[in-house]
Amino acid sequence: PLLFYAAEAETMDNFSYLLSLGASLQQQNADNGNLLFPAIRSGQLALVQFLLDQGLDVNAANVRGLTPLALAASYGDLELVK
């Protein structure tokens, strides 16, 4: 899904644009991961916070059993974990 690519970008411009076109935040990728995964991988704290504010679940596991919270912790980025 395009929102996953946009969530991995360095800015929120494309992400915001896709949302304005009606893209859903409830998308999952092939691993059943939510949009928090690419936002965390890209280190976009503002996007992570936005997604959490929109109700995405930080404890929603993908098919491998990994949660967004565990991913953030594995990066050692305390700001993302908070």
Side-chain angles (χ1 to χ4, degrees), residues 22-34:
S24 171
L25 293 176
Q26 302 307 316
Q27 298 180 27
Q28 293 182 323
N29 64 9
D31 290 336
N32 291 331
N34 63 30

Side-chain angles (χ1 to χ4, degrees), residues 24-57:
S24 171
L25 293 176
Q26 302 307 316
Q27 298 180 27
Q28 293 182 323
N29 64 9
D31 290 336
N32 291 331
N34 63 30
L35 285 162
L36 284 167
F37 283 94
I40 290 167
R41 278 194 299 270
S42 66
Q44 287 199 61
L45 183 58
L47 180 55
V48 170
Q49 188 59 57
F50 171 77
L51 294 171
L52 292 173
D53 291 345
Q54 298 303 308
L56 270 71
D57 188 357

Side-chain angles (χ1 to χ4, degrees), residues 4-80:
F4 280 82
Y5 294 112
E8 291 179 342
E10 291 183 15
T11 69
M12 286 185 54
D13 294 342
N14 290 334
F15 192 87
S16 298
Y17 176 70
L18 291 170
L19 285 182
S20 75
L21 294 177
S24 171
L25 293 176
Q26 302 307 316
Q27 298 180 27
Q28 293 182 323
N29 64 9
D31 290 336
N32 291 331
N34 63 30
L35 285 162
L36 284 167
F37 283 94
I40 290 167
R41 278 194 299 270
S42 66
Q44 287 199 61
L45 183 58
L47 180 55
V48 170
Q49 188 59 57
F50 171 77
L51 294 171
L52 292 173
D53 291 345
Q54 298 303 308
L56 270 71
D57 188 357
V58 73
N59 293 307
N62 65 13
V63 295
R64 295 184 189 104
L66 182 65
T67 66
L69 181 58
L71 178 64
S74 75
Y75 286 156
D77 188 334
L78 295 179
E79 287 300 313
L80 282 174

